[in-house]
Amino acid sequence: DYCASKHAVVGFSRGLQYEHDCCGITNVKVTTIFPHLMNTGMFNNCTVKLNRMFPAIEPDHAANQIILAIEEEREEMMIPKNVEKFFIFQYLYGSKMTREHAKIYGNFEYMKTFQNIRGS
C-alpha cells in the first residue's frame, strides 16, 4: 500500500547510498525526496489539522526543490523543510511515541479523508 511503498523507496535509496560509499562509487548520486501532501488530485479530499504549518505543496514548488536537491547533491530532502523535525523525533523516540505525536498533530486525520482517485 501507499505507506509500504514509500518505506521501500527509502530503504532502497539508503541501501544504494551505502553500497556507493562501500564501493567508492562517486559518479552516481541518489536523492530521496520526502514530500508532504501535494496539491494534486490524489489528496483533494484530505484535511490537515495544522494547515498553516503544513499546507499542501504546489507541484511547481516541489519541482524547484527537487532540482535544488539534485544540484546540491543532497541525499535526502524534506518538502517543506519543517517536516524534518518529525523525522528527527521518530529516530529519537521510536515508533510508538511517533504515532502518539502524529495523533496530536493530526497526521491520522488526513489519512482518514484520503480517497483513492482510481475509485477502487
Side-chain angles (χ1 to χ4, degrees), residues 19-83:
E19 286 183 25
H20 289 172
D21 288 348
C22 289
C23 297
I25 298 170
T26 58
N27 61 340
V28 177
K29 307 296 180 191
V30 177
T31 301
T32 308
I33 305 299
F34 297 86
H36 187 54
L37 294 177
M38 297 291 295
N39 190 12
T40 63
M42 184 173 181
F43 295 104
N44 276 350
N45 298 310
C46 291
T47 57
V48 180
K49 188 174 182 180
L50 299 173
N51 196 32
R52 277 193 197 148
M53 192 171 176
F54 301 106
I57 302 162
E58 295 300 323
D60 287 346
H61 174 70
N64 290 331
Q65 292 300 298
I66 292 166
I67 291 168
L68 178 66
I70 293 168
E71 289 174 345
E72 293 178 351
E73 296 185 2
R74 292 184 58 175
E75 290 185 358
E76 298 179 344
M77 176 180 268
M78 283 71 169
I79 306 172
K81 186 169 177 47
N82 60 354
V83 297

